[in-house]
């Protein structure tokens, strides 16, 4: 059985997850990736804008499944890979006795904001329940995969890494947002933050956490940039905290969050952040 690892990516067209995927594709570790995308060409174009990514690299290391993150049948297609890591990639997710679950899942799904024309400080979002819905879909799809293949008896479960946000702490938890940002978070981002909070509740329930080897929730400060690797400041300039001692800051580049996901989660067998809510700020 091949030791090559395969990670599934959800919401990888842009931002933090795109950056993480780009690092994987550029690495020499032999990792493979499988991504779910409503518009595959959009994902390909976003990756080709990353420095160093070529069409041949994409063809060699990435399988793209066209589908929707709220469809259980589509989600199941990225959760299974051929046992030996080879074979017809278009058959991923099909009911083949040789397929096994992926080694990890990276999700950066979230509502996409846009400013309403002619309205000052008025922001609208494309889907205010997308994070909750995609998380529920992932849980349902993985349960079905286990049930169909008795996968859990083989002892292999994937790591799950998701991109959440600061600003959704409970009253009894330490704050992770600078005071100057609190009004803006409360006014402009309250609804999408509720969606992220529901996502966290879904994947951290005891019943659902048992589906994974480990869950890592990244909670970045206000995101900047488009995730292009050229905009990264580097891990050395990232401040990292946890629920107990959050890293409070104003901004962080999406490219830096992607690098953290790659270096500190995907590449590690037993990362120190397993089971943690990790705050990130520059």
């Amino acid at each position: 059985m091949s030791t090559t690892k395969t990670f599934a990516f959800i919401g990888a067209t842009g931002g933090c997850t795109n950056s993480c995927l780009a690092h994987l594709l550029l690495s020499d570790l032999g990792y493979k990736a499988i991504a779910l995308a409503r518009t595959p060409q959009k994902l390909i174009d976003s990756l080709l804008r990353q420095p160093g990514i070529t069409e041949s690299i994409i063809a060699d290391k990435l399988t793209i499944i066209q589908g929707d993150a709220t469809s259980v049948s589509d989600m199941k297609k990225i959760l299974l890979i051929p046992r030996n890591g080879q074979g017809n990639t278009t058959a991923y997710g099909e009911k083949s006795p040789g397929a096994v679950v992926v080694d990890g899942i990276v999700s950066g799904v979230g509502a996409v904001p846009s400013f309403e024309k002619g309205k000052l400080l008025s922001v609208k979002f494309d889907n205010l329940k997308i994070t909750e819905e995609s998380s529920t879909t992932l849980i349902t799809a993985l349960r079905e995969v286990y049930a169909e293949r008795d996968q859990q008896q083989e002892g292999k479960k994937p790591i799950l890494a998701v991109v959440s946000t600061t600003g959704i702490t409970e009253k009894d938890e330490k704050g992770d947002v600078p005071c100057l940002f609190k009004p803006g978070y409360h006014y402009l981002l309250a609804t999408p933050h509720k969606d992220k909070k529901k996502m966290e509740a879904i994947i951290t329930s005891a019943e659902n956490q048992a589906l994974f080897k480990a869950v890592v929730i990244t909670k970045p400060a206000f995101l900047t940039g488009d995730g292009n690797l050229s905009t990264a400041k580097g891990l050395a300039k990232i401040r990292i905290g946890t629920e107990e001692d959050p890293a409070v800051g104003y901004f962080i580049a999406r490219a830096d969050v992607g690098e953290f996901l790659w270096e500190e989660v995907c590449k590690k067998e037993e990362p120190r952040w397993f089971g943690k809510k990790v705050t990130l700020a520059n």
Side-chain angles (χ1 to χ4, degrees), residues 8 11 22 50 68 98 103 132 139 160 167 180 198 226 243 257 269:
Q50 292 282 11
D68 193 291
D103 297 278
E132 175 190 4
I139 295 297
L160 173 63
L180 289 176
K198 288 180 180 178
D226 59 1
E243 292 173 275
V257 178
E269 289 294 333

Side-chain angles (χ1 to χ4, degrees), residues 13 49 83 93 164 185 223-224 231 238 253:
T13 300
R49 288 192 289 269
R83 182 180 294 273
S164 184
Y185 270 44
L223 292 166
T224 63
T231 64
I238 296 177

Side-chain angles (χ1 to χ4, degrees), residues 166 178-181 185 221-224 239 248-252 281-282:
T166 52
C179 290
L180 289 176
F181 269 23
Y185 270 44
F222 194 86
L223 292 166
T224 63
R239 291 186 292 116
V248 180
Y250 291 97
F251 304 102
I252 186 167
N282 287 134

Side-chain angles (χ1 to χ4, degrees), residues 69 75 128-143 160 162 164 168 170 193-212 215 217 277:
M75 187 73 77
L128 290 172
K129 293 186 177 181
I130 185 60
T131 316
E132 175 190 4
E133 291 173 354
S134 62
S135 300
T136 301
T137 301
L138 172 61
I139 295 297
T140 302
L142 192 55
R143 286 190 185 282
L160 173 63
V162 299
S164 184
I168 57 174
E170 300 292 345
H193 279 190
K194 287 180 182 178
D195 190 34
K196 291 287 188 180
K197 197 167 187 176
K198 288 180 180 178
M199 176 268 289
E200 288 191 15
I202 290 168
I203 64 174
T204 57
S205 73
E207 183 181 16
N208 291 337
Q209 278 199 86
L211 299 172
F212 304 97
V215 173
I217 297 175
K277 294 182 180 181

Side-chain angles (χ1 to χ4, degrees), residues 1-274:
M1 182 174 177
S2 173
T3 57
T4 298
K5 289 187 176 183
T6 300
F7 277 76
F9 286 80
I10 310 166
T13 300
C16 308
T17 316
N18 188 268
S19 171
C20 179
L21 176 55
H23 278 288
L24 183 152
L25 297 177
L26 290 170
S27 77
D28 58 1
L29 296 179
Y31 282 22
K32 300 284 187 178
I34 180 169
L36 185 64
R38 283 183 294 181
T39 309
Q41 190 59 49
K42 186 176 179 181
L43 174 56
I44 292 170
D45 291 343
S46 70
L47 289 170
L48 290 175
R49 288 192 289 269
Q50 292 282 11
I53 299 290
T54 63
E55 291 183 354
S56 62
I57 288 175
I58 293 173
D60 181 51
K61 294 185 177 182
L62 175 63
T63 297
I64 302 176
I65 301 296
Q66 184 172 17
D68 193 291
T70 62
S71 165
V72 172
S73 60
D74 289 345
M75 187 73 77
K76 287 168 68 175
K77 294 176 183 177
I78 67 167
L79 297 179
L80 290 168
I81 55 174
R83 182 180 294 273
N84 62 0
Q86 305 297 322
N88 181 3
T89 54
T90 61
Y92 281 23
E94 294 183 0
K95 293 185 177 181
S96 166
V100 294
V101 74
V102 292
D103 297 278
I105 303 161
V106 180
S107 177
V109 174
V112 178
S114 62
F115 286 95
E116 293 192 73
K117 200 171 183 180
K119 295 183 179 180
L120 184 64
L121 296 178
S122 182
V123 182
K124 63 179 181 179
F125 297 85
D126 59 343
N127 186 338
L128 290 172
K129 293 186 177 181
I130 185 60
T131 316
E132 175 190 4
E133 291 173 354
S134 62
S135 300
T136 301
T137 301
L138 172 61
I139 295 297
T140 302
L142 192 55
R143 286 190 185 282
E144 289 190 10
V145 165
Y146 287 156
E148 291 167 3
R149 299 170 181 276
D150 205 15
Q151 188 78 45
Q152 286 175 299
Q153 289 191 10
E154 296 186 15
K156 182 182 179 184
K157 298 180 183 179
I159 297 167
L160 173 63
V162 299
V163 180
S164 184
T165 181
T166 52
I168 57 174
T169 55
E170 300 292 345
K171 291 183 179 180
D172 58 343
E173 295 177 337
K174 288 188 176 181
D176 54 14
V177 175
C179 290
L180 289 176
F181 269 23
K182 288 181 179 179
Y185 270 44
H186 178 75
Y187 177 67
L188 295 175
L189 302 174
T191 303
H193 279 190
K194 287 180 182 178
D195 190 34
K196 291 287 188 180
K197 197 167 187 176
K198 288 180 180 178
M199 176 268 289
E200 288 191 15
I202 290 168
I203 64 174
T204 57
S205 73
E207 183 181 16
N208 291 337
Q209 278 199 86
L211 299 172
F212 304 97
K213 179 180 179 181
V215 173
V216 180
I217 297 175
T218 57
K219 300 170 75 71
F222 194 86
L223 292 166
T224 63
D226 59 1
N228 192 279
L229 302 187
S230 64
T231 64
K233 294 182 178 180
L235 281 182
K237 295 186 178 181
I238 296 177
R239 291 186 292 116
I240 304 172
T242 61
E243 292 173 275
E244 296 78 19
D245 185 20
V248 180
Y250 291 97
F251 304 102
I252 186 167
R254 289 178 172 87
D256 286 328
V257 178
E259 185 173 358
F260 172 85
L261 288 167
W262 167 244
E263 294 288 345
E264 293 295 322
V265 181
C266 297
K267 287 175 63 175
K268 306 291 187 181
E269 289 294 333
E270 296 290 339
R272 61 186 290 194
W273 312 113
F274 272 10

